[in-house]
Structure formats: structure tokens, C-alpha cells
Amino acid sequence: MTEFYASGTRTETDSLGSVEVPASVYWGVHTARAIENFPISRRPISVYPDFVRAFACVKQAAARANLEIGALEEQRATLIDRACEDVKTGMLHDQFVVGVVQGGAGTSTNMNANEVITNRALELAGRKKGDYAFINPNDHTNRSQSTNDTYPTAIKIALVFSIKSLLEELALLADSFEAKGKEFAGILKVGRTQLQDAVPMTLGQEFNAFAVTLREDVDRLNEAMRLLYEVNMGATAIGTGINAPKGYKEAVIKHLREVTGIPLETAGDLIEATTDTGVFVTFSGALKRAGLKLSKISNDLRLLSSGPQAGLGEINLPARQAGSSIMPGKVNPVIPESVTQVAYAVAGADVTVSMAVEAGQLQLNAFEPVIAHSLFQSITWLERACYTLRVNCVDGITANTEKLEDTVARSVTVITALAPVIGYAAAAKLAKEALATNGNVREMVVSQGLLGEAELDELLQPAKLAGLTPDSEDARQAGKVTPATEVDSTSVMGEA
């Protein structure tokens, strides 16, 4: 912060005394004290631009509501409104310098916003920064408000702003997996449960399942997002609405809907809404769910691509960078690895949110700053993880078809398809015998008189083995695969 002081200072005063504030900055005494008090995260709130923009929306709606009900004269209200509009468009975000982790239930952030908006309004009026007799951060920009309603409202609005980008990236990632599902529709492979061979499927089915599960998370996040629409604007300090004039509560929610484009609504019980932060637990849980499922998918990609010689080696991930400082030629699955680490961070953030929500006492939760930081970081990291997984990994995945064909040809997993006809006991006996003798399953079935060749051909059709609808495109693609009619086996299938 020392660079700010190069242009001189101005004196600002609060209830604790006077402070020298850099003359060039738009923040004031409250922000200056917060900078000194909370050198913890080394991350200013401006690292989350949607949060800054959301706060500008809250202050703008308040100014318009105060003007409408006659609580703020037109000149001041208009100047504050214009200053908020500037912040919404990206101006002065570097002036939001308070650390994301702070005491005071967000008061420092609220005052940072009040001071920046006030000094920008003064500048628009042709006045000097700090001329608070004309427009005051508390008396005018914060009119009819408290940190305890503006701060949680801004968090919710910012989360809605932010989640939209994550939802878009999740949908794009799902599209990429679906495209790979279609590309791999005709490739038969061995499905596995508990890391043991189970039954045949197609590689396309495996990748399409990734797409479906991600789209489910899009739905769950949309549901959680809608819970954020209820806000406590007008509650002021604890929900009683003290210092908020008659008509303000109704006016501010109307203007807040207009400036945000979000169908916000005022909570039915403002005291309850001010003390309760349960919605953040629900929202964090939805983020954790998405993160853990992304990690599960990433772990599957790592397993399927393991090798290249001594692993499963069913798919090939794009080579992104050299994998070792000592082993020449080694290439690691670095993109899925990074995504899994994001999932761990999101899960950890969910624990933080849960603890902070539980720790709220009486009429207010003092720990909303760390709740906000945890949620914003999770959204940001998940969005970026989805992007890099899609662009730097999934879009470039190829199938190791020769390896897959060889694995299916040597697998006894196809015997499961015969069990309904020859019986479970006979099928289990056949599998054990095939494994013990490394025998040819087809020949054993015929020689033991269990099935005829024509019936065996019908049962071992690739599309039927994969459970595909006969007239589907996937079935047509699977039909192009060499039928799994001549199989030797090297491993017994599990029952689970």
C-alpha cells in the first residue's frame, strides 16, 4: 500500500479518531483501518469481481429506493446511482482493497463499498475526495441500510452472477463427453465393478455416462441457485428494519430486481433471514457434489489411460507436458490430476462453510466473510477446472482400439450373457474351467452341448452384449465390431 501514499494524504475521521488516507484513493478511513487489521489472506475482495459488482447493484438499488420514498434528495441519489453504475461496468475495482477474510461480519467490505462509491460520486459532482459534508458514506450511500442486510444480499447476488459461468462450462464439458460417446459408440470393451472384470459394454456408453452425470449437476446447481433469490434487504441491523423508512423494503427489492435481472424476493421473516445462513450450506453442498463427481471422472480417465505398457491403456490422453525430471519419455495425466486437486479444495471449503454457518450466534452470523470467500473460490476453481479438462484433455482423447479388442477377445465376461440360457451354476462352472485351462469359451460351450452355434452367435452379438436398443445408432455402430464369439479368458468376473 505504500505506493498510494506517494501523492500525499488527506485526513479522514471516524469515532476512533483521525487517519491519514492517501489523497489519490477512493477508499477512506474505515478501509484504511481494515487494511491494517486484516493482513491475513493477502487477497482483496476485488479478486472476486462479481462480488464487487453485486455490491454496486445493492447500493444502486438502495439509492433509487431512497429517492423514490423521499429519504434521499435527487442530486445525491443521482450521483450515487451514477457512481454505482461505473463500478458495475468495472471501474475502480482496484479500490476494493479490504481482505476477503475479515472480522466484523463484513462491515469492512460494506464500508469499502460505501467509501469508494461516495468518493466517485463526489468526483462526478466536481468535488474533492473526502468532502463528506456533501455526500457521506454512512449518511447517504448507506442510507436505510446495514452491513447485515447489504452484505449477505451482495453475496447471494454475486453467487448467482458467478454460477452462470460455471454452469456454462459444465454444460460444455458434458457436450464434449457426449461427443466422445458418439465417437466411441462402436468400440466394445470390458466393464468393471470393484476394479474386477464385470460385463461387456461400449467405450461410448462409458463416456456418455460422464456427460449424463455432469448434466445432473447442472440441474442440482440450478436448484440451489434459486434458493439464493430470497434476500433480507430492508432488515437493517437484526431484521427489525430499524432506520429503514416506510416503503423502503418494498421499493428496494423492486429496484434490486431491475438492476440485477434476478427474480429476487424479500424474505417473509427478516429476523430469521438475517440470522440464518443455511442456504450457503445447501449451495456449498451442490458445489462439493459437482467437484467430487468431476474428480471421480478424472480418476476414471487416469485409470483408463494408465500405462502405456503395464496399465489398462484403453484410452490415450493428450500429452500436455514432460512428466519427469529423471525418467525420459514419461508423460503424466496432469490435467485430470489438477481437477482432482480442485475437488479436494472444494470439499475442504464445504467444511469451512459448514462450520461457519453453525457458528452463527443469536441474531447474526459474524463469519459470512469466510463463507463468501470459500464459495467464490470454489466456483472460480471449478469453472477453470471444467475448462482445462475439456480443452486440454477430453477433446483430444483417443481410443486404443487394438488393446480394447484384444481385452474383449480374451475375457470371460461374455459368459454372463449366457447365464440366463444355460443357468448361473453352469455359467460359473464354465468360467472357472475356461480360466483354469485357458480354453476357448465358444468351443467349450458347443462341445459340452450347452448351446448350438447359431444360438451362441445370437447371444454374443456386440450390441446385445452392451445392452443396446437394436435400432439405436449405438447398436448400429456396435454391430461393426468383430463379434465376441471366439473368446479365451485370463480373469474371472466378479458378481458385484
Side-chain angles (χ1 to χ4, degrees):
M1 294 293 174
T2 55
E3 68 274 13
F4 288 127
Y5 289 86
S7 58
T9 64
R10 66 177 188 267
T11 303
E12 291 201 13
T13 304
D14 63 5
S15 60
L16 298 183
S18 297
V19 173
E20 292 300 308
V21 176
S24 63
V25 300
Y26 289 77
W27 41 267
V29 57
H30 297 280
T31 303
R33 293 194 190 281
I35 293 170
E36 181 179 348
N37 289 335
F38 311 120
I40 299 170
S41 65
R42 301 295 183 184
R43 291 185 185 182
I45 55 176
S46 59
V47 299
Y48 304 123
D50 284 332
F51 193 27
V52 175
R53 187 159 63 98
F55 242 109
C57 289
V58 168
K59 297 298 174 180
Q60 186 176 48
R64 292 181 181 183
N66 282 319
L67 174 62
E68 179 180 323
I69 65 174
L72 196 62
E73 55 272 32
E74 184 174 0
Q75 183 183 23
R76 287 190 174 110
T78 301
L79 288 167
I80 292 171
D81 192 323
R82 290 175 58 194
C84 291
E85 191 65 30
D86 287 342
V87 174
K88 283 168 56 182
T89 60
M91 281 183 60
L92 304 179
H93 280 214
D94 63 333
Q95 298 295 307
F96 288 78
V97 293
V98 173
V100 292
V101 176
Q102 57 191 255
T107 297
S108 296
T109 296
N110 185 41
M111 287 308 302
N112 194 166
N114 286 332
E115 290 172 342
V116 171
I117 290 167
T118 296
N119 281 307
R120 174 56 179 163
L122 290 170
E123 187 175 59
L124 291 170
R127 294 176 178 267
K128 293 182 178 180
K129 298 183 184 71
D131 185 5
Y132 297 150
F134 184 69
I135 301 178
N136 187 278
N138 296 87
D139 294 334
H140 304 122
T141 306
N142 200 61
R143 176 70 60 85
S144 308
Q145 304 155 63
S146 164
T147 295
N148 302 346
D149 60 357
T150 61
Y151 191 78
T153 298
I155 292 174
K156 291 178 179 180
I157 292 170
L159 289 174
V160 174
F161 287 162
S162 300
I163 197 65
K164 291 179 180 178
S165 296
L166 172 56
L167 292 172
E168 290 172 1
E169 283 297 339
L170 270 172
L172 289 172
L173 181 58
D175 290 344
S176 288
F177 276 117
E178 183 180 16
K180 286 296 172 182
K182 292 178 180 177
E183 180 182 339
F184 300 150
I187 302 175
L188 204 63
K189 62 162 287 178
V190 174
R192 298 176 180 86
T193 58
Q194 295 162 266
L195 294 180
Q196 303 300 304
D197 298 350
V199 296
M201 66 184 302
T202 68
L203 188 62
Q205 288 174 311
E206 193 164 31
F207 273 73
N208 191 64
F210 294 153
V212 172
T213 199
L214 290 177
R215 291 197 175 107
E216 288 179 352
D217 283 314
V218 171
D219 292 339
R220 300 296 81 75
L221 285 166
N222 270 309
E223 291 169 1
M225 178 182 68
R226 287 190 284 272
L227 297 177
L228 298 169
Y229 294 167
E230 182 183 275
V231 298
N232 70 330
M233 280 299 288
T236 64
I238 66 169
T240 61
I242 190 170
N243 291 351
K246 182 180 180 181
Y248 171 79
K249 179 177 69 174
E250 294 76 15
V252 74
I253 195 67
K254 176 186 69 175
H255 289 292
L256 202 51
R257 283 194 290 261
E258 291 174 356
V259 300
T260 62
I262 302 169
L264 301 167
E265 59 183 39
T266 305
D269 188 319
L270 290 179
I271 292 178
E272 183 277 335
T274 303
T275 186
D276 176 52
T277 50
V279 64
F280 298 131
V281 176
T282 302
F283 190 80
S284 181
L287 291 174
K288 180 178 72 172
R289 170 189 160 123
L292 295 182
K293 288 170 71 173
L294 278 170
S295 181
K296 189 274 182 192
I297 292 170
S298 295
N299 289 336
D300 283 355
L301 295 179
R302 291 169 57 224
L303 278 172
L304 293 173
S305 64
S306 59
Q309 293 174 304
L312 297 183
E314 295 186 352
I315 61 174
N316 308 299
L317 304 185
R320 298 301 306 175
Q321 62 189 62
S324 175
S325 61
I326 188 173
M327 294 171 280
K330 190 172 189 291
V331 178
N332 297 325
V334 293
I335 303 302
E337 288 171 351
S338 68
V339 173
T340 290
Q341 291 176 77
V342 168
Y344 298 159
V346 172
D350 180 64
V351 174
T352 299
V353 171
S354 299
M355 294 180 69
V357 167
E358 185 276 335
Q361 297 163 323
L362 303 178
Q363 279 67 60
L364 182 68
N365 189 306
F367 308 107
E368 288 182 359
V370 79
I371 292 174
H373 164 58
S374 299
L375 294 175
F376 293 140
Q377 176 177 281
S378 291
I379 291 175
T380 302
W381 285 19
L382 282 172
E383 177 190 339
R384 294 170 182 171
C386 288
Y387 173 83
T388 195
L389 184 60
R390 171 173 59 89
V391 173
N392 294 321
C393 183
V394 176
D395 287 346
I397 291 175
T398 58
N400 192 343
T401 53
E402 291 183 3
K403 177 69 175 289
L404 288 163
E405 288 173 1
D406 181 63
T407 301
V408 172
R410 292 184 294 106
S411 174
V412 297
T413 59
V414 295
I415 294 178
T416 299
L418 308 181
V421 179
I422 67 175
Y424 182 88
K429 180 181 178 182
L430 181 66
K432 291 178 182 179
E433 186 178 345
L435 286 170
T437 63
N438 199 28
N440 184 295
V441 173
R442 178 185 175 85
E443 292 176 359
M444 292 170 65
V445 170
V446 175
S447 66
Q448 294 178 22
L450 296 173
L451 291 170
E453 290 194 14
E455 189 174 10
L456 192 59
D457 288 342
E458 175 67 22
L459 290 171
L460 296 182
Q461 288 180 27
K464 184 169 291 187
L465 288 173
L468 298 172
T469 305
D471 59 350
S472 68
E473 177 60 28
D474 284 353
R476 286 190 287 273
Q477 291 295 327
K480 299 176 183 178
V481 181
T482 302
T485 53
E486 294 190 5
V487 289
D488 296 304
S489 179
T490 59
S491 63
V492 70
M493 54 191 171
E495 292 183 17

